Amino acid sequence: MASAPYTPSNPNNAGLPLWLLAELTYRCPLQCPYCSNPLDFATQGKELSTEQWVDVLQQARKMGAAQLGFSGGEPLARPDLSELIGEARQLGYYTNLITSGIGLTESKVERFKQAGLDHIQISFQASDETVNNALAGSRKAFANKLAMAKAVKAAGYPMVLNFVTHRHNIDNIDKIIELCIELEADFVELATCQFYGFAHLNRLGLLPTKAQLEKAEAVTNVYREKLQAAGNPCKLIFVTPDYYEERPKPCMNGWGNVFLTVTPDGTALPCHSARQLPIEFPNVKDHSLQEIWYDSFGFNHYRGDSWMQEPCRSCDEKDKDFGGCRCQAYMLTGDATAADPVCAKSDQHGKILAARAEAENADVTIDALTYRNEKTSKQCSDGQIIASDAATR
């Protein structure tokens, strides 16, 4: 006798999972010290097979997912990437490859285009080859990225570049923008570190000063005016770190409301950093995506506002910022139900102010940062390296 079809109860009126982030692998040839992957990535379970990923894509599309990001680690480490792109195209997704460019070739660019890939975003560590390669942990990274950025442009894709900025490269924002103009970029994300994963571990050595941020944004605005005056379509997007805001971001547009992440081993998350929370999240190998999205404890835990403490519970902005980021609240306070300390209304906003003050006097060189690799990941898992806020490091 056939079992009855699963009918979601949707107790908290969840929206549709419109944006699916497929973290295909944690393998990566680079060692960026601001990587947002979990610190213990080296101890995670076996990667999903091609067939399992296809099943995930099919389920998510049936539920309403429209935009799909292939991420990692480095998604190019998966030999079945072309196959997954092709499946996504048949299902009707808009697809985005988020890559370091390492492992990309002109033939792969063409193969992905034929498979139906819509968009490629290439990340750089810096505009200076020496700094870029030092942060990446690869002597060939910068040259490879330049070549692949040009190949992506030549293939007819929009040129989308991402520069993660921090105290070691933000003073060269003008040179970064000049490089982007030289590469004929269409969109450039100048995204200052958001402090999760390895970036949180290295916060003391990465958080820029307020003066650095203000100067970088002013320089960016000057270039915006120049580009507009010249009729250049390049769009510069400047992202300030949460630590210099007085109100929290509406993280993921609300917990489990729009955004769905599936990790390499099949764990489903409401955001890419949620795995660090003291919650057991479901796995696609054990449950359908419908069951996970609508009825699992992990996805319902911070939906709505019943979980909120003061000052969030009575705040007239709670429907705008949803209490801020649960992961950031947990990292900084040890309590995932606390107000995001970024908010000036939080009684723990002092942690953010202290971090800003420490940035004024920090003197951590690039070679003193903790780099993302299997060795450091296992040390984090064993407790040899402990992620804590900079005030207690």
Side-chain angles (χ1 to χ4, degrees):
M1 180 177 176
S3 60
Y6 173 75
T7 303
S9 61
N10 197 12
N12 289 305
N13 298 314
L16 298 176
L18 299 176
W19 217 113
L20 172 63
L21 182 67
E23 291 187 327
L24 300 179
T25 180
Y26 285 141
R27 288 174 285 154
C28 184
L30 302 186
Q31 302 183 62
C32 305
Y34 46 73
C35 180
S36 62
N37 284 165
L39 295 176
D40 62 351
F41 74 86
T43 64
Q44 302 297 338
K46 183 179 179 182
E47 292 177 9
L48 295 180
S49 67
T50 304
E51 293 73 21
Q52 288 170 320
W53 272 116
V54 168
D55 185 51
V56 167
L57 301 186
Q58 291 172 343
Q59 288 188 62
R61 186 73 182 105
K62 189 174 181 179
M63 291 171 64
Q67 186 152 332
L68 170 63
F70 291 113
S71 180
E74 175 48 69
L76 292 168
R78 290 280 300 213
D80 57 355
L81 183 54
S82 290
E83 184 177 347
L84 295 176
I85 291 169
E87 178 66 25
R89 167 48 64 95
Q90 289 183 18
L91 290 169
Y93 282 101
Y94 181 88
T95 51
N96 181 18
L97 175 61
I98 304 165
T99 176
S100 67
I102 307 303
L104 195 59
T105 63
E106 291 183 14
S107 62
K108 284 183 180 179
V109 171
E110 182 57 33
R111 194 185 318 153
F112 296 158
K113 192 173 184 66
Q114 291 177 0
L117 184 65
D118 294 297
H119 183 113
I120 299 177
Q121 175 185 298
I122 294 181
S123 65
F124 279 77
Q125 280 69 31
S127 58
D128 176 85
E129 183 170 10
T130 300
V131 175
N132 186 101
N133 292 348
L135 289 165
S138 168
R139 289 178 294 177
K140 299 180 180 179
F142 188 74
N144 199 160
K145 289 171 183 288
L146 283 180
M148 288 305 100
K150 293 173 182 176
V152 166
K153 183 74 174 182
Y157 283 105
M159 169 65 73
V160 183
L161 301 179
N162 172 267
F163 281 80
V164 177
T165 58
H166 42 78
R167 66 184 302 116
H168 297 290
N169 65 5
I170 198 167
D171 291 333
N172 292 319
I173 199 83
D174 55 340
K175 294 182 176 62
I176 289 174
I177 295 172
E178 289 288 353
L179 175 61
C180 294
I181 295 171
E182 180 185 333
L183 291 171
E184 300 180 85
D186 297 290
F187 297 92
V188 179
E189 186 176 36
L190 303 166
T192 315
C193 276
Q194 301 297 335
F195 292 92
Y196 302 90
F198 284 84
H200 178 57
L201 186 67
N202 286 302
R203 194 182 75 199
L204 191 61
L206 293 174
L207 183 65
T209 66
K210 184 177 181 180
Q212 282 183 302
L213 273 172
E214 290 177 343
K215 180 181 178 181
E217 188 164 17
V219 170
T220 301
N221 287 333
V222 168
Y223 272 93
R224 283 172 175 155
E225 293 174 2
K226 288 181 179 179
L227 290 167
Q228 185 176 15
N232 190 317
C234 179
K235 304 297 182 187
L236 303 178
I237 303 165
F238 189 90
V239 183
T240 302
D242 292 356
Y243 280 60
Y244 285 96
E245 302 289 352
E246 296 301 317
R247 288 291 183 272
K249 62 192 174 195
C251 197
M252 315 314 297
N253 200 38
W255 180 274
N257 190 45
V258 172
F259 194 87
L260 169 64
T261 293
V262 178
T263 68
D265 71 355
T267 301
L269 303 172
C271 76
H272 65 277
S273 296
R275 197 165 194 162
Q276 68 187 296
L277 297 176
I279 297 173
E280 186 173 347
F281 288 99
N283 194 292
V284 299
K285 290 180 284 192
D286 305 316
H287 307 277
S288 71
L289 276 186
Q290 271 200 326
E291 183 181 359
I292 288 170
W293 181 259
Y294 291 109
D295 289 324
S296 71
F297 174 80
F299 276 74
N300 277 299
H301 198 47
Y302 298 115
R303 278 178 174 147
D305 58 17
S306 62
W307 57 270
M308 290 183 179
Q309 303 181 43
E310 294 295 348
C312 297
R313 180 175 290 276
S314 58
C315 181
D316 59 4
E317 297 179 70
K318 68 181 180 182
D319 293 330
K320 298 178 181 178
D321 61 32
F322 311 106
C325 177
R326 297 303 88 222
C327 301
Q328 195 154 255
Y330 180 70
M331 285 188 298
L332 292 173
T333 74
D335 180 3
T337 65
D340 187 336
V342 163
C343 184
K345 296 181 181 182
S346 166
D347 62 4
Q348 301 203 54
H349 187 58
K351 291 182 179 290
I352 296 296
L353 300 180
R356 295 178 194 172
E358 286 167 349
E360 297 296 327
N361 300 305
D363 185 22
V364 180
T365 60
I366 288 179
D367 59 356
L369 298 171
T370 299
Y371 284 79
R372 176 222 191 265
N373 53 52
E374 287 205 6
K375 179 181 178 181
T376 55
S377 177
K378 289 175 180 176
Q379 289 175 330
C380 289
S381 299
D382 295 340
Q384 297 178 51
I385 300 177
I386 299 174
S388 59
D389 62 274
T392 59
R393 282 183 65 184

